Amino acid sequence: MGGDESLDPALRSWVASANDATTDFPIQNLPFGRFRVGAEGDWRLGVAIGDQILDLQAAGLVDQADMSALMAQGKAARRALRDALSQGLRAGSPNEAAWSGALVAQSAVTMGVPCAIGDYTDFYTSIHHATTVGKQFRPDNPLLPNYKWVPIGYHGRASTIGVSGQAFPRPWGQTRPATAPEGSPPNFGPSRRLDYELELGIFIARPNAPGEPISMAEAEDHVFGLTLFNDWSARDIQGWEYQPLGPFLAKNFASTVSPWMVTLDALAPFRQPFHRPAGDPAPLPYLDSAANREQGAIDIQLEVWLQTARMREAGHAGDCLSRSNYADAYWTVAQLVTHHTVNGCLLQTGDLFGTGTLSGPSPEQGGSLLELSGGGKQPLTLSNGEQRSFLEDGDTVILKAFCERAGARRIGFGECRGTVLPARPMPGA
Ligand code: MN
């Protein structure tokens, strides 16, 4: 752990709930987010600790509630803030008296998106997702020839990114099934193949200089932290519109992030070697480094839960639909940052990357219903007997993630929750 005292699994906090073995937010985590008390107050910056939030202004740790300014600081300043938080929240700290007045219960606040999000890019880093989905569209040629060379991505839209708790109406759009006769007009209606995508969000810290690529060695200094991310997708709209320029209205009606940014410092104990399967080409030199091979992967366990309206009425928390791990991704965080800037593209503080759907190697590890239901052909039967090929109105999708290994304190990401509402009346009618 490089002697980072803030990661010592033996550390305990004077905030009692942070010492609960099941909390996502022990003193070793210290993720950052924005909150307000009630629905109208000003946004404030906070750090999750157990079931509480430490208000960073009230604790005297920041002057203003500007998350972007905090994120744009260099690595040394970020490190110093983490150390101050770790020292001050530690059991026996002299800060307890002053800081206990700066705590707010998480149950008493509204969380916001963690920072002002500038640009949003979605990647496609799971080769398992790319292969399974590719098979549905192109059975004889599932994985396109660029996949193992280029971290595939597209520019998305930040304006409709919401925070956990988001509810949005089922989108309208044009669809035309692949089986429709050639030349027939498309249908226009609410999507009937609405899906989720299990992803992680990567938040950019420090910008690059305009025009200057970020090297693999520098890449992680430009990353502030990770969240959960649900890239809701209307598969029927996507299937009709996506060629030749890629996803458009099938993706930009809603995307949901979890409120707490878990820093790379907190994730340090869960780094793993990153290697490609034998026989695969090595990444081009600009996307390769010894450090990336030694510890580029991050062991983050991921889960998707579904709570239908009927389950909710029955007081049922939902079914776990799948589990996967971020360590199975084909491209690392550093490779995404480096590739995105290799042409001189400017990344700015608060930019968000989606990792792409994080499916694992086995079929039951699909990170979307498209995969789990075989393109809608094999509906899932839920624990209460309901069936799903795609999402129904009233369905709530809950993403969760945590890191756990011997010799380290378990940390988690909290939840990323979103609910599908019925479609609005017909547009233009
Ligand atoms: Mn996606």
Side-chain angles (χ1 to χ4, degrees):
M1 287 180 208
D4 183 345
E5 205 184 90
S6 73
L7 298 169
D8 180 347
L11 281 186
R12 293 174 67 81
S13 175
W14 51 263
V15 180
S17 58
N19 303 320
D20 186 325
T22 63
T23 183
D24 277 355
F25 309 121
I27 191 170
Q28 291 82 358
N29 192 345
L30 304 173
F32 290 80
R34 293 197 300 178
F35 70 97
R36 60 186 177 192
V37 180
E40 300 291 325
D42 293 330
W43 290 112
R44 304 185 67 82
L45 307 191
V47 163
I49 180 81
D51 60 9
Q52 303 288 306
I53 298 171
L54 182 73
D55 180 322
L56 295 184
Q57 268 167 294
L61 289 164
V62 298
D63 305 331
Q64 49 177 353
D66 184 346
M67 186 66 88
S68 302
L70 187 157
M71 292 167 74
Q73 293 178 317
K75 194 179 176 179
R78 294 205 303 268
R79 213 35 265 187
L81 178 55
R82 177 175 170 86
D83 288 340
L85 285 161
S86 176
Q87 301 275 353
L89 288 168
R90 218 166 275 185
S93 164
N95 292 50
E96 176 174 355
W99 284 12
S100 51
L103 291 182
V104 190
Q106 283 171 33
S107 58
V109 307
T110 305
M111 297 301 300
V113 292
C115 61
I117 301 172
D119 280 315
Y120 154 53
T121 300
D122 198 28
F123 284 95
Y124 201 50
T125 66
S126 165
I127 196 168
H128 310 296
H129 172 73
T131 306
T132 305
V133 172
K135 259 183 209 150
Q136 294 184 14
F137 291 95
R138 300 173 301 274
D140 17 327
N141 184 25
L143 198 66
L144 292 169
N146 54 9
Y147 190 85
K148 294 179 180 179
W149 300 98
V150 183
I152 302 295
Y154 70 94
H155 284 116
R157 189 160 182 86
S159 60
T160 25
I161 297 174
V163 73
S164 182
Q166 184 175 20
F168 59 90
R170 176 178 299 272
W172 282 76
Q174 286 194 28
T175 61
R176 200 182 83 171
T179 51
E182 184 123 358
S184 61
N187 303 313
F188 178 62
S191 170
R192 291 191 295 187
R193 290 162 68 92
L194 185 60
D195 201 355
Y196 58 82
E197 290 191 336
L198 165 63
E199 305 197 13
L200 288 170
I202 299 165
F203 278 92
I204 297 299
R206 199 157 57 82
N208 51 327
E212 258 183 42
I214 297 172
S215 69
M216 286 293 286
E218 296 278 315
E220 289 196 358
D221 290 353
H222 292 264
V223 173
F224 187 78
L226 272 54
T227 61
L228 288 157
F229 185 64
N230 186 340
D231 179 26
W232 305 94
S233 298
R235 302 300 181 192
D236 42 3
I237 298 173
Q238 186 178 359
W240 171 232
E241 76 173 6
Y242 88 105
Q243 286 180 322
L245 289 185
F248 183 38
L249 301 182
K251 301 271 191 175
N252 67 6
F253 55 90
S255 315
T256 311
V257 287
S258 56
W260 295 109
M261 295 184 285
V262 176
T263 63
L264 291 185
D265 288 325
L267 292 167
F270 308 100
R271 304 304 294 242
Q272 285 187 349
F274 172 74
H275 38 72
R276 289 179 157 193
D280 276 16
L284 292 180
Y286 83 96
L287 292 173
D288 198 10
S289 75
N292 194 55
R293 290 190 297 272
E294 280 154 26
Q295 50 166 22
I298 315 177
D299 176 8
I300 302 176
Q301 303 188 49
L302 305 160
E303 296 178 352
V304 182
W305 292 71
L306 174 66
Q307 185 195 48
T308 67
R310 252 176 67 189
M311 289 175 178
R312 197 154 46 249
E313 282 155 21
H316 185 305
D319 286 355
C320 183
L321 297 187
S322 72
R323 294 186 164 85
S324 61
N325 195 305
Y326 185 40
D328 288 321
Y330 200 78
W331 298 99
T332 64
V333 171
Q335 287 172 324
L336 301 185
V337 170
T338 295
H339 182 66
H340 206 309
T341 59
V342 70
N343 63 346
C345 176
L346 178 60
L347 295 182
Q348 293 182 295
T349 303
D351 283 358
L352 171 65
F353 294 177
T355 54
T357 308
L358 294 172
S359 305
S362 340
E364 72 277 9
Q365 292 185 296
S368 65
L369 284 173
L370 182 70
E371 292 157 90
L372 295 177
S373 73
K377 294 193 186 81
Q378 299 125 27
L380 282 71
T381 301
L382 306 176
S383 62
N384 66 353
E386 287 182 274
Q387 292 205 320
R388 285 293 180 278
S389 298
F390 291 97
L391 296 171
E392 301 285 338
D393 294 348
D395 283 355
T396 295
V397 175
I398 306 137
L399 311 183
K400 302 181 190 184
F402 59 95
C403 304
E404 197 169 45
R405 76 160 177 80
R409 180 67 154 98
R410 177 196 182 280
I411 62 170
F413 282 67
E415 282 185 353
C416 179
R417 187 179 274 266
T419 300
V420 180
L421 301 175
R424 291 205 164 91
M426 180 187 267

